Structure formats: structure tokens, C-alpha cells
């Protein structure tokens, strides 16, 4: 009788797992591999003449200027000779329903290095730890100015760090250093793990997606947002490309 009860309980547990479509969890980095997972990959391009980057003067802080024997330029539109566009946030904007996702415990890291923010564009999940490090020999501060999250402004003497989080989705939060006006970056915050920031060759990957129909958006700090809809099936990988034109 006891063995029969164990078998029954096991069967009920398996049945519950199968019939819970919104129990999918992801976190701690890339979404975990799941049966029948789909994927998206592609490239973001810039069409037209790439605007010349603006030169940056760091003369106001000699400790910053000394770290740059060569000229320094703004990072607003970073595209190579083929038009491959860097620092574009590509993400699922709609189609995940009411699925919930675990929050990564691994911190996302921002470095204040040579009086610039690295990376220039960062994407994180809501409530994911954010670790900001000052690698310079001069003081900085980090001052995000969100519209949908709590604003904060923290000083960072040389060699120190700051730990914070953002509670709500927002694409994207401007970040500045009040001590060095040329320093600025962006942090995009998501309630799910399906996002990527394009690499130097403009490429991105969104892996381990549940099969379905999705609205995919590509966001750029100066060029705006581009939107496409795509349907992907089980074990299918599709390509989706975006093109931004000069403004």
C-alpha cells in the first residue's frame, strides 16, 4: 500500500510540472537550456554616413588627461566600415506572457576606467546586483537619472566601489559622473533575461527562448528604437536583422 501511494504521488508531481506552462525560470546569466528551446540571432547595421565622433577634452582633470596620450572621442554612434553597429540593446518587448524569472545573483559590473565608463551600454535584470568600481586615481561619482526607478548619486574615491540595484524595467537609464561631464553611459533594466547588447561586429544572440510569437525591439541611445515581430517554433533558430539610418 505504501509503495502504491509513493507511485501515485510521483505521478501527480510529474503531471503538475507538465501542466505548469509559466513555471519557466531563468537567471544567473544566460537562460538555462530547456527542451524545445528556440533562438534568435542577427546583426544591427547603420545605413548611411556614420557621424564623426565628437572629441573629448579631459584637460579639467590632469589625472584623466594623462591616461590618454591619443585623442579620445565620444561613443554615441559606434559603427565600423561595414556599418556594423555596436551598443544596441536588442530585447523581447512582448510575448513572454506572465512567466516569471529568477534574478541573477552574479553582479553586473561597471568600471570607471581611464575616466570613461566601461561598458558604455549595459543591460541587467531588475534586482540584479550592480557593482560599480573606480579603477582610477581620481574621484568619481555615479549618478543614474531614471524615470521609472529610484534615483541615486554616490561618490567614489579612488579604488572604491558601490553596490546598488534597480527594481523596475526601464530602457534605458542615463548615467553620468557629476565630476567629469564627458562621462556618461546607459543601463537598460529588464524583468526577464532575454536581452543582449550588440558586439563590435553588430551581432547579438537571444538564446533558450520558449517557442512563440515575439515583439523584438532594438534600442540605440541616439538612433531611437526599431521594432519587428517574429514567430519561432520548437528547436528553431531564426535570424532577425535591424537597420538604423542616420538622423
Amino acid at each position: 500500500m505504501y509503495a502504491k501511494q509513493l507511485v501515485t504521488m510521483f505521478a501527480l508531481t510529474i503531471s503538475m510540472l507538465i501542466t505548469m506552462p509559466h513555471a519557466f525560470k531563468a537567471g544567473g546569466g544566460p537562460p538555462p537550456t530547456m527542451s524545445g528551446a528556440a533562438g534568435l540571432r542577427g546583426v544591427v547595421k547603420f545605413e548611411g554616413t556614420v557621424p564623426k565622433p565628437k572629441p573629448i577634452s579631459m584637460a579639467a582633470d590632469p589625472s584623466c588627461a594623462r591616461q590618454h596620450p591619443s585623442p579620445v572621442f565620444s561613443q554615441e554612434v559606434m559603427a565600423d566600415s561595414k556599418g556594423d553597429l555596436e551598443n544596441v540593446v536588442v530585447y523581447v518587448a512582448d510575448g513572454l506572457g506572465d512567466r516569471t524569472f529568477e534574478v541573477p545573483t552574479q553582479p553586473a559590473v561597471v568600471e570607471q576606467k581611464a575616466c570613461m565608463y566601461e561598458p558604455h551600454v549595459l543591460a541587467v535584470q531588475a534586482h540584479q546586483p550592480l557593482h560599480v568600481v573606480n579603477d582610477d586615481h581620481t574621484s568619481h561619482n555615479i549618478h543614474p537619472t531614471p524615470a521609472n526607478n529610484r534615483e541615486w548619486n554616490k561618490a567614489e574615491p579612488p579604488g572604491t566601489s558601490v553596490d546598488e540595484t534597480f527594481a523596475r524595467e526601464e530602457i534605458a537609464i542615463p548615467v553620468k559622473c557629476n565630476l567629469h561631464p564627458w562621462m556618461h553611459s546607459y543601463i537598460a533594466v529588464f524583468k526577464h533575461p532575454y536581452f543582449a547588447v550588440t558586439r563590435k561586429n553588430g551581432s547579438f544572440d537571444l538564446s533558450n527562448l520558449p517557442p512563440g510569437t515575439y515583439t523584438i525591439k532594438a534600442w540605440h541611445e541616439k538612433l531611437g528604437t526599431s521594432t519587428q515581430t517574429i514567430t519561432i517554433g520548437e528547436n528553431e533558430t531564426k535570424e532577425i536583422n535591424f537597420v538604423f539610418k542616420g538622423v
Side-chain angles (χ1 to χ4, degrees):
M1 179 64 72
Y2 180 70
K4 185 176 180 180
Q5 289 176 333
L6 285 177
V7 171
T8 302
M9 290 174 64
F10 179 78
L12 286 171
T13 301
I14 295 298
S15 177
M16 288 173 64
L17 289 173
I18 293 172
T19 56
M20 289 173 63
H22 303 313
F24 176 79
K25 300 286 185 180
T33 302
M34 65 180 194
S35 177
L40 290 175
R41 62 190 178 193
V43 175
V44 180
K45 294 276 190 178
F46 180 88
E47 186 178 280
T49 302
V50 178
K52 291 184 179 180
K54 300 173 184 177
I56 293 173
S57 173
M58 298 187 184
D61 189 331
S63 67
C64 294
R66 281 195 296 269
Q67 298 184 72
H68 295 278
S70 301
V72 185
F73 297 95
S74 65
Q75 299 174 313
E76 292 176 341
V77 180
M78 302 284 288
D80 63 19
S81 59
K82 297 182 293 183
D84 299 327
L85 189 59
E86 188 180 355
N87 290 330
V88 179
V89 183
V90 182
Y91 62 97
V92 172
D94 188 54
L96 290 169
D98 59 356
R99 291 178 173 90
T100 58
F101 304 93
E102 292 180 0
V103 177
T105 57
Q106 184 71 24
V109 178
V110 174
E111 290 183 281
Q112 292 160 317
K113 191 172 184 179
C115 298
M116 299 285 281
Y117 283 120
E118 294 185 10
H120 179 65
V121 176
L122 177 71
V124 300
Q125 269 185 252
H127 300 289
Q128 181 177 359
L130 176 66
H131 186 63
V132 186
V133 182
N134 182 0
D135 290 327
D136 288 325
H137 296 294
T138 188
S139 292
H140 291 295
N141 77 320
I142 181 164
H143 184 186
T145 56
N148 195 37
N149 280 275
R150 175 179 58 86
E151 183 174 354
W152 44 272
N153 182 2
K154 295 191 175 183
E156 286 191 272
T160 62
S161 62
V162 165
D163 294 285
E164 269 290 353
T165 60
F166 294 103
R168 288 176 289 277
E169 187 168 78
E170 186 168 349
I171 302 104
I173 300 171
V175 179
K176 62 183 178 179
C177 172
N178 296 77
L179 301 178
H180 303 104
W182 64 83
M183 290 180 65
H184 66 91
S185 66
Y186 292 87
I187 300 175
V189 185
F190 296 91
K191 57 186 177 183
H192 59 72
Y194 299 109
F195 54 81
V197 180
T198 56
R199 310 175 184 99
K200 289 185 177 180
N201 63 359
S203 66
F204 65 88
D205 296 280
L206 301 178
S207 60
N208 297 321
L209 273 163
T213 298
Y214 296 100
T215 300
I216 308 297
K217 291 189 176 184
W219 174 93
H220 186 271
E221 63 180 276
K222 288 294 181 183
L223 304 174
T225 301
S226 180
T227 304
Q228 295 188 44
T229 300
I230 192 166
T231 299
I232 44 178
E234 289 189 4
N235 300 311
E236 185 177 22
T237 297
K238 284 189 175 180
E239 291 194 6
I240 179 172
N241 300 315
F242 292 89
V243 177
F244 285 93
K245 295 183 179 181
V247 292

